[in-house]
Amino acid sequence: KYRMSDTLSDDASGGDDGQEDVMTPAELIGKLEEAWLNERFSPELLENKSEMGECVMEQLTHMEANLQRVWRGDVKASVHRMEIDRIRFVLSSYLRSRLQKIEKFFPHVLEKEKSRVEGDPSFLSPEEFAFAKEYLANTETYLKAVALKHMPPNLQTVDMLKAVPEPCLDSFVFLRVRERQENILVEPETDDQREYVVDLDVDSQHLMRYRSIAPLVSSGAVQLI
Amino acid sequence: MFCEKAIEIIRELHRMGDGQLPAFNEDGIRQVLEEMKALYEQNQSDVNEAKSEGKSELIPTIKFRHCCLLRNQRCIAAYLYDRLLRIRTLRWEYGSVLPTNIRFHMCAEEVRCLKDHGEFEIDDGTIILLKKNSQHFLPRWKCEQLIRQGVLEHIMS
């Protein structure tokens, strides 16, 4: 869980059970931007980070409130205004990116969520899950109403899992390394190559197939750029 | 040859550039469905004949017709789904209010699907943003669409 140590307000609500991570607003926005970039450049839907999203919303409300106190004409006000708009844009771009992937891969996204083990992190927020289910239902209703119900009895269903393409995990992505990784397996590109391993040094940048480094993205060891 | 009409409607869709939505080819779909009906009925009678009179030489024909049926189903599903994808792309571009010339090309079910789906899309895309009841949270161009819809109120103060 994130806890805001808000340097902008007078609220001294810090100092409670030290189990929660205290994060500055700057760190939170940094996390938002990382999540945003990862989501935009990853071919598949990444883990849901709705807690972070809520914290960002809280932060924005705070900033809006503080902005009311500052005199309109002050240059600071427009700078803060731009900052607020910028953060809002990043958040909504993040959400939009997720929605587009949910729409594109909806049967697979739902299947992944259904076969999730209790305790594993969720890929969809409750709202996103409801959205995906409705999207599936609407699409099936549409296909049925327009064509399937007029077809012979044994052909009135379409298997969405087979019909809708899966995300291409072999697409190439640019990445920057945050935590050193050793012995990452790289698959051969042609028949005469063989697989080999690479070490990834901190701050180095690479272009690799997403599949090779997918777990490193979710662990935060690499950042997609 | 069988499945020709099915290919034709797909070609027609494919010929239009990516972002465009041609008129819904109701007639084309109907023809494919009729062909499917005819194939199915022929197969039904052949299956009965093969079973009752042991005419196993009918089986290759039955299999062939079944393949055609599957192909037709797949072509129709692909045609309809591709149209949905185009409509979806247009929605992301234009927002909730699609220009009338585009709507004109859509069939009734597409509009219904769009409506059910559309409300949810707006709700979900912005549901998190609306939670805190904040005011000017979107750039102006986005606000205009939502103001037209009545989802947002422009607060002047």
Side-chain angles (χ1 to χ4, degrees):
Chain A
K1 267 224 172 244
Y2 301 117
R3 212 29 171 67
M4 300 303 308
S5 83
D6 198 340
T7 53
L8 291 173
S9 81
D10 308 322
D11 192 53
S13 56
D16 13 330
D17 51 320
Q19 289 167 353
E20 293 174 335
D21 279 341
V22 176
M23 194 181 283
T24 64
E27 283 170 349
L28 173 67
I29 301 308
K31 280 256 171 299
L32 170 66
E33 287 180 4
E34 285 169 10
W36 172 58
L37 288 173
N38 278 341
E39 196 71 64
R40 296 217 47 204
F41 295 124
S42 151
E44 62 173 352
L45 188 71
L46 298 175
E47 267 170 44
N48 157 52
K49 297 222 192 293
S50 51
E51 254 176 43
M52 176 198 68
E54 282 172 21
C55 284
V56 172
M57 281 310 300
E58 274 177 31
Q59 182 61 24
L60 283 172
T61 312
H62 235 111
M63 290 170 82
E64 289 275 10
N66 288 332
L67 205 55
Q68 305 300 336
R69 294 192 234 142
V70 178
W71 171 51
R72 279 295 159 97
D74 193 353
V75 159
K76 270 196 292 194
S78 19
V79 175
H80 280 301
R81 172 86 265 155
M82 280 192 335
E83 178 74 7
I84 292 174
D85 285 344
R86 197 178 65 85
I87 296 172
R88 269 195 216 284
F89 170 78
V90 172
L91 179 61
S92 74
S93 178
Y94 170 72
L95 294 172
R96 239 184 295 137
S97 176
R98 288 181 62 83
L99 272 185
Q100 281 172 336
K101 278 191 238 178
I102 292 173
E103 284 182 340
K104 198 168 178 186
F105 306 121
F106 63 100
H108 309 289
V109 164
L110 282 168
E111 189 63 27
K112 202 170 180 183
E113 191 66 16
K114 273 196 197 124
S115 45
R116 183 174 65 92
V117 172
E118 192 64 40
D120 269 0
S122 175
F123 280 83
L124 300 172
S125 71
E127 291 93 353
E128 286 170 342
F129 185 57
F131 174 76
K133 281 197 296 190
E134 275 231 7
Y135 194 86
L136 172 68
N138 282 343
T139 308
E140 283 182 334
T141 305
Y142 164 70
L143 289 175
K144 261 196 202 95
V146 178
L148 291 178
K149 74 177 182 203
H150 302 296
M151 292 190 183
N154 60 333
L155 287 165
Q156 289 192 356
T157 52
V158 170
D159 184 354
M160 289 297 184
L161 279 171
K162 288 214 200 99
V164 176
E166 287 184 338
C168 176
L169 300 180
D170 288 318
S171 35
F172 279 92
V173 290
F174 284 97
L175 57 107
R176 180 174 53 240
V177 181
R178 286 150 99 241
E179 296 166 16
R180 181 178 160 78
Q181 301 296 316
E182 299 188 346
N183 296 331
I184 301 297
L185 192 66
V186 178
E187 298 288 335
E189 296 294 325
T190 62
D191 285 335
D192 23 322
Q193 286 179 351
R194 286 187 318 168
E195 58 185 27
Y196 59 99
V197 293
V198 288
D199 291 340
L200 303 177
D201 294 316
V202 177
D203 282 339
S204 62
Q205 292 175 163
H206 303 267
L207 177 61
M208 299 173 76
R209 289 194 188 275
Y210 176 76
R211 197 190 291 273
S212 319
I213 47 91
L216 302 178
V217 176
S218 39
S219 73
V222 307
Q223 168 74 46
L224 296 182
I225 51 178
Chain B
M1 194 62 258
F2 297 129
C3 304
E4 265 179 20
K5 193 66 189 176
I7 295 290
E8 193 187 302
I9 62 177
I10 291 198
R11 267 209 203 102
E12 173 201 70
L13 192 59
H14 190 66
R15 212 177 297 133
M16 302 286 255
D18 245 335
Q20 296 181 50
L21 186 74
F24 186 79
N25 193 343
E26 194 170 337
D27 199 46
I29 300 261
R30 192 177 316 125
Q31 285 183 42
V32 180
L33 289 172
E34 277 169 13
E35 184 182 276
M36 287 179 78
K37 183 161 184 259
L39 284 168
Y40 181 72
E41 282 167 358
Q42 286 164 15
N43 256 8
Q44 287 253 313
S45 87
D46 273 8
V47 163
N48 286 335
E49 217 179 303
K51 270 197 214 156
S52 59
E53 293 170 42
K55 285 193 182 167
S56 57
E57 66 267 22
L58 290 172
I59 291 182
T61 320
I62 293 172
K63 282 191 179 165
F64 172 70
R65 286 200 202 101
H66 187 66
C67 285
C68 295
L69 281 165
L70 287 174
R71 184 144 176 77
N72 276 339
Q73 186 207 43
R74 188 173 167 186
C75 286
I76 288 190
Y79 176 78
L80 296 176
Y81 190 66
D82 191 69
R83 282 182 66 89
L84 270 189
L85 291 186
R86 288 175 194 228
I87 292 173
R88 190 184 80 199
T89 312
L90 289 169
R91 279 276 272 107
W92 278 106
E93 266 180 53
Y94 287 100
S96 297
V97 190
L98 284 180
T100 33
N101 60 327
I102 295 181
R103 284 191 101 130
F104 191 62
H105 283 175
M106 290 165 47
C107 70
E109 278 81 13
E110 284 171 338
V111 175
R112 197 173 307 137
C113 179
L114 185 69
K115 261 186 122 179
D116 286 340
H117 178 57
E119 282 190 30
F120 215 98
E121 209 180 313
I122 284 288
D123 278 354
D124 188 271
T126 58
I127 201 169
I128 296 182
L129 299 175
L130 284 169
K131 249 192 227 169
K132 301 299 171 185
N133 205 15
S134 43
Q135 299 181 358
H136 22 100
F137 59 74
L138 292 170
R140 223 150 270 139
W141 66 269
K142 198 73 166 106
C143 279
E144 277 168 10
Q145 293 171 16
L146 291 170
I147 288 173
R148 237 185 286 143
Q149 267 187 287
V151 174
L152 282 187
E153 257 185 48
H154 191 188
I155 303 173
M156 293 296 185
S157 64

